[in-house]
mmCIF file of all heavy atoms in Angstrom:
data_model
loop_
_atom_site.group_PDB
_atom_site.id
_atom_site.type_symbol
_atom_site.label_atom_id
_atom_site.label_comp_id
_atom_site.label_asym_id
_atom_site.label_seq_id
_atom_site.Cartn_x
_atom_site.Cartn_y
_atom_site.Cartn_z
ATOM 1 N N THR A 114 -40.650 32.322 28.291
ATOM 2 C CA THR A 114 -40.711 31.151 27.514
ATOM 3 C C THR A 114 -40.702 31.642 25.996
ATOM 4 O O THR A 114 -41.044 32.702 25.789
ATOM 5 C CB THR A 114 -41.962 30.282 27.880
ATOM 6 O OG1 THR A 114 -41.908 29.073 27.231
ATOM 7 C CG2 THR A 114 -43.233 30.969 27.480
ATOM 8 N N SER A 116 -41.924 32.550 22.470
ATOM 9 C CA SER A 116 -43.272 33.174 22.206
ATOM 10 C C SER A 116 -44.038 32.207 21.330
ATOM 11 O O SER A 116 -45.244 32.341 21.182
ATOM 12 C CB SER A 116 -42.988 34.435 21.604
ATOM 13 O OG SER A 116 -42.213 34.279 20.346
ATOM 14 N N GLY A 132 -48.778 37.430 30.249
ATOM 15 C CA GLY A 132 -47.707 38.011 29.412
ATOM 16 C C GLY A 132 -47.637 39.477 29.498
ATOM 17 O O GLY A 132 -48.748 40.198 29.603
ATOM 18 N N TYR A 133 -46.417 40.036 29.570
ATOM 19 C CA TYR A 133 -46.374 41.586 29.623
ATOM 20 C C TYR A 133 -45.383 42.120 28.594
ATOM 21 O O TYR A 133 -45.413 43.329 28.316
ATOM 22 C CB TYR A 133 -46.008 42.099 30.985
ATOM 23 C CG TYR A 133 -44.757 41.680 31.546
ATOM 24 C CD1 TYR A 133 -43.520 42.525 31.441
ATOM 25 C CD2 TYR A 133 -44.538 40.425 32.231
ATOM 26 C CE1 TYR A 133 -42.239 42.187 31.858
ATOM 27 C CE2 TYR A 133 -43.223 40.134 32.695
ATOM 28 C CZ TYR A 133 -42.116 40.961 32.514
ATOM 29 O OH TYR A 133 -40.909 40.595 33.027
ATOM 30 N N LYS A 134 -44.611 41.341 27.881
ATOM 31 C CA LYS A 134 -43.737 41.909 26.822
ATOM 32 C C LYS A 134 -43.225 40.710 26.128
ATOM 33 O O LYS A 134 -43.054 39.531 26.599
ATOM 34 C CB LYS A 134 -42.704 42.762 27.365
ATOM 35 C CG LYS A 134 -41.551 42.129 28.015
ATOM 36 C CD LYS A 134 -40.388 43.004 28.390
ATOM 37 C CE LYS A 134 -39.286 42.419 29.139
ATOM 38 N NZ LYS A 134 -38.198 43.221 29.479
ATOM 39 N N THR A 135 -42.857 40.848 24.800
ATOM 40 C CA THR A 135 -42.029 39.983 24.031
ATOM 41 C C THR A 135 -40.724 40.693 23.694
ATOM 42 O O THR A 135 -40.652 41.850 23.439
ATOM 43 C CB THR A 135 -42.669 39.581 22.730
ATOM 44 O OG1 THR A 135 -43.100 40.690 21.977
ATOM 45 C CG2 THR A 135 -43.907 38.701 23.000
ATOM 46 N N GLU A 136 -39.684 39.949 23.689
ATOM 47 C CA GLU A 136 -38.351 40.475 23.546
ATOM 48 C C GLU A 136 -37.293 39.369 23.119
ATOM 49 O O GLU A 136 -37.464 38.318 23.583
ATOM 50 C CB GLU A 136 -37.887 41.074 24.844
ATOM 51 C CG GLU A 136 -36.581 41.873 24.732
ATOM 52 C CD GLU A 136 -36.345 42.563 26.082
ATOM 53 O OE1 GLU A 136 -37.125 43.260 26.601
ATOM 54 O OE2 GLU A 136 -35.170 42.431 26.582
ATOM 55 N N LYS A 137 -36.332 39.751 22.391
ATOM 56 C CA LYS A 137 -35.343 38.860 21.886
ATOM 57 C C LYS A 137 -34.225 39.156 22.893
ATOM 58 O O LYS A 137 -33.766 40.384 23.062
ATOM 59 C CB LYS A 137 -34.851 39.062 20.410
ATOM 60 C CG LYS A 137 -33.840 38.075 20.017
ATOM 61 C CD LYS A 137 -33.474 38.436 18.529
ATOM 62 C CE LYS A 137 -32.133 37.991 18.154
ATOM 63 N NZ LYS A 137 -31.045 38.195 19.134
ATOM 64 N N VAL A 144 -37.446 34.631 20.152
ATOM 65 C CA VAL A 144 -38.298 35.832 20.696
ATOM 66 C C VAL A 144 -38.969 35.202 21.873
ATOM 67 O O VAL A 144 -39.761 34.316 21.785
ATOM 68 C CB VAL A 144 -39.263 36.337 19.717
ATOM 69 C CG1 VAL A 144 -40.159 37.454 20.359
ATOM 70 C CG2 VAL A 144 -38.515 36.988 18.538
ATOM 71 N N PHE A 145 -38.868 35.723 23.115
ATOM 72 C CA PHE A 145 -39.406 35.241 24.308
ATOM 73 C C PHE A 145 -40.673 36.044 24.700
ATOM 74 O O PHE A 145 -40.766 37.289 24.432
ATOM 75 C CB PHE A 145 -38.381 35.301 25.490
ATOM 76 C CG PHE A 145 -37.268 34.438 25.299
ATOM 77 C CD1 PHE A 145 -36.006 34.902 24.778
ATOM 78 C CD2 PHE A 145 -37.338 33.039 25.435
ATOM 79 C CE1 PHE A 145 -34.934 34.021 24.668
ATOM 80 C CE2 PHE A 145 -36.309 32.175 25.357
ATOM 81 C CZ PHE A 145 -35.067 32.665 24.913
ATOM 82 N N LEU A 146 -41.507 35.299 25.321
ATOM 83 C CA LEU A 146 -42.763 36.078 25.980
ATOM 84 C C LEU A 146 -42.446 36.039 27.516
ATOM 85 O O LEU A 146 -42.145 34.997 28.094
ATOM 86 C CB LEU A 146 -43.953 35.233 25.750
ATOM 87 C CG LEU A 146 -45.232 35.753 26.552
ATOM 88 C CD1 LEU A 146 -45.689 37.167 26.165
ATOM 89 C CD2 LEU A 146 -46.348 34.742 26.428
ATOM 90 N N PHE A 147 -42.374 37.265 28.106
ATOM 91 C CA PHE A 147 -42.070 37.427 29.475
ATOM 92 C C PHE A 147 -43.503 37.446 30.190
ATOM 93 O O PHE A 147 -44.435 38.184 29.790
ATOM 94 C CB PHE A 147 -41.349 38.734 29.707
ATOM 95 C CG PHE A 147 -39.924 38.596 29.304
ATOM 96 C CD1 PHE A 147 -39.592 38.713 27.953
ATOM 97 C CD2 PHE A 147 -38.876 38.522 30.236
ATOM 98 C CE1 PHE A 147 -38.224 38.560 27.508
ATOM 99 C CE2 PHE A 147 -37.555 38.325 29.759
ATOM 100 C CZ PHE A 147 -37.308 38.391 28.476
#
Side-chain angles (χ1 to χ4, degrees):
T114 189
S116 60
Y133 65 93
K134 72 175 178 177
T135 53
E136 186 176 311
K137 184 185 157 318
V144 175
F145 294 101
L146 173 63
F147 288 76

